[in-house]
């Protein structure tokens, strides 16, 4: 059997969006699963719209996702080869030069190269969709080059696939209608026909093709990267956009995907882009990281907090953050009290005082006495066991008493309306720092 060769042929006319990344991933997975090779090709024939910066972004994004390839080419560097092939077709009578009035300026004539189309019905087997038949008569003798030196896109694709020995063309469903033209060109060139697999469209929430007009637009890989998605999570999620392993598994590393991937698992129906699901996949991946790696990969060191409290905060960040951007926001916001002593406000400390319950300063004094007895390194459970009885006693006094006395405790420790519970805070900042904060609050209350 011939070795599998797939291709990743993006057009550098735009940024690397999730559609291009998914197609690239499937080509990579299939080739690696089959012990084959992948060729990368920059389809930069549209000189006006192709840009080096887009090519760079695409290459960088795919490499960041962990994809690799075995050969690299650019259509703009293959002009001589295309000309040679077009001249060969003209010589053999499979194509001809047609002098026609220019479309732009009917006063002028142009020399187009047209394929002599036998006009047969063509059937190809799509590995995802089954047999697809086209009547090619209606295509007529279509143009394959605007001059001997200016092949149209379809011609360049076929020539490149032929020269690279591509065995499998795996691409978006929007290319199905290009396939008959490309097969006719292949047949004229005497090139072997590769197998085709057209991937289902990626849809937005409204089940329309994901596009610039979709509510979320088309997500770009570099933007998702900047937002703090992990490449492992994106690869995992993108693989499941149109493919499933045939069992209930949802967590896959790239290596596991290579192992599990088959074209048989690709679905025909469109796959909906679901950011909420991506967030949960990302959170699962973030939770696999040990603290030091979490801090490093999340760039959390840049926040300038001391390493030890930062490392201690990681489990909380892993519980709450779904992206590294969210982790930054939490560390600098709701969890800031883990790194910096707060400046609580007297009125807020008293906010939940009620008749028949201990006043905030009295409650804090009681908590302080218990906190001072807690050994260093006490867990949240130990802190709860020491402090909760005081709150329970207040509860016995009246409805809501527990919450009323726990409030100044949590607020004195955090300085914030929203924060982790006070026992977790005591365990993370340590009893000594907790005691300092409680004394400070008591002082603020005039005690
Ligand atoms: N350059 C095309 C694209 O980016 C891919 C064409 C193909 O796979 O044949 O959509």
């Amino acid at each position: 059997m011939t070795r599998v060769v797939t291709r990743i042929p993006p057009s550098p006319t735009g940024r690397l969006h999730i559609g291009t990344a998914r197609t690239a991933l499937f080509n990579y997975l299939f080739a690696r699963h089959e012990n084959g090779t992948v060729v990368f090709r920059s389809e930069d024939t549209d000189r006006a719209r192709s840009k080096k910066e887009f090519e760079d972004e695409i290459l960088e994004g795919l490499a960041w996702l962990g994809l690799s390839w075995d050969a690299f080419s650019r259509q703009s560097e293959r002009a001589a080869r295309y000309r040679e092939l077009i001249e060969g077709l003209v010589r053999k009578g499979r194509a001809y030069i047609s002098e026609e009035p220019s479309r732009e300026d009917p006063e002028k004539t142009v020399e187009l190269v047209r394929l002599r189309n036998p006009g047969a019905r063509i059937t190809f087997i799509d590995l995802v969709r089954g047999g697809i038949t086209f009547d090619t008569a209606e295509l007529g003798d279509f143009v394959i080059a605007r001059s001997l030196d200016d092949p149209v896109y379809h011609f360049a694709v076929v020539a490149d696939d032929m020269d690279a020995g591509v065995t499998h063309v795996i691409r978006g469903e929007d290319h199905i209608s290009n396939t008959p033209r490309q097969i006719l060109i292949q047949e004229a060139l005497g090139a072997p026909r590769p197998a085709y697999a057209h991937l289902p469209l990626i849809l937005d929430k409204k089940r329309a093709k994901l596009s610039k007009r979709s509510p979320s637009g088309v997500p770009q890989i570099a933007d998702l990267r900047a937002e703090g998605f992990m490449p492992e999570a994106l690869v995992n999620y993108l693989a499941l956009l149109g493919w499933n392993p045939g069992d209930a598994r949802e967590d896959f590393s790239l290596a596991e995907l290579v192992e599990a991937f088959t074209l048989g698992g690709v679905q025909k129906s469109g796959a909906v882009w679901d950011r909420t699901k991506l967030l949960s996949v990302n959170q699962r991946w973030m939770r696999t990281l040990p603290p030091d790696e979490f801090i490093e990969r999340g760039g959390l060191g840049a926040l300038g907090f001391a390493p030890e409290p930062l490392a201690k905060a990681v489990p909380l960040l892993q519980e709450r953050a779904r992206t590294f951007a969210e982790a930054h926001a939490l560390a600098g916001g709701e969890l800031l009290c883990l790194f910096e002593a707060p400046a609580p406000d007297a009125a807020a400390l008293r906010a939940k005082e009620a008749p028949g319950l201990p006043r905030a300063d009295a409650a804090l004094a009681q908590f302080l006495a218990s906190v001072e007895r807690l050994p260093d390194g006490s867990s949240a459970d130990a802190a709860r066991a020491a402090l909760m009885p005081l709150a329970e006693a207040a509860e016995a006094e009246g409805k809501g008493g527990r919450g009323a006395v726990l409030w100044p405790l949590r607020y004195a420790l955090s300085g914030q309306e929203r924060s982790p519970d006070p026992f977790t805070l005591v365990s993370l900042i340590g009893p000594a720092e907790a005691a300092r904060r409680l004394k400070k609050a008591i002082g603020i209350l005039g005690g």
Side-chain angles (χ1 to χ4, degrees), residues 85-107:
L85 289 170
I86 292 166
E87 283 175 339
L89 289 182
V90 172
R91 225 177 10 254
K92 285 189 290 178
R94 303 296 300 253
Y96 58 92
I97 294 172
S98 167
E99 276 198 28
E100 300 174 22
S102 155
R103 272 212 219 153
E104 286 89 50
D105 179 359
E107 301 293 301

Side-chain angles (χ1 to χ4, degrees), residues 7 9-11 20 41 43 153 157 161 169-171 175 182:
R7 28 74 103 222
S11 306
T20 305
R41 169 165 89 225
E43 299 210 319
Y153 166 74
V157 167
D161 287 348
V169 170
I170 303 168
R171 61 186 175 191
H175 289 287
Q182 295 181 1

Side-chain angles (χ1 to χ4, degrees), residues 34 107 152 173 218 223 304 354:
E34 299 290 334
E107 301 293 301
V152 302
E173 188 185 298
V218 183
D223 296 345

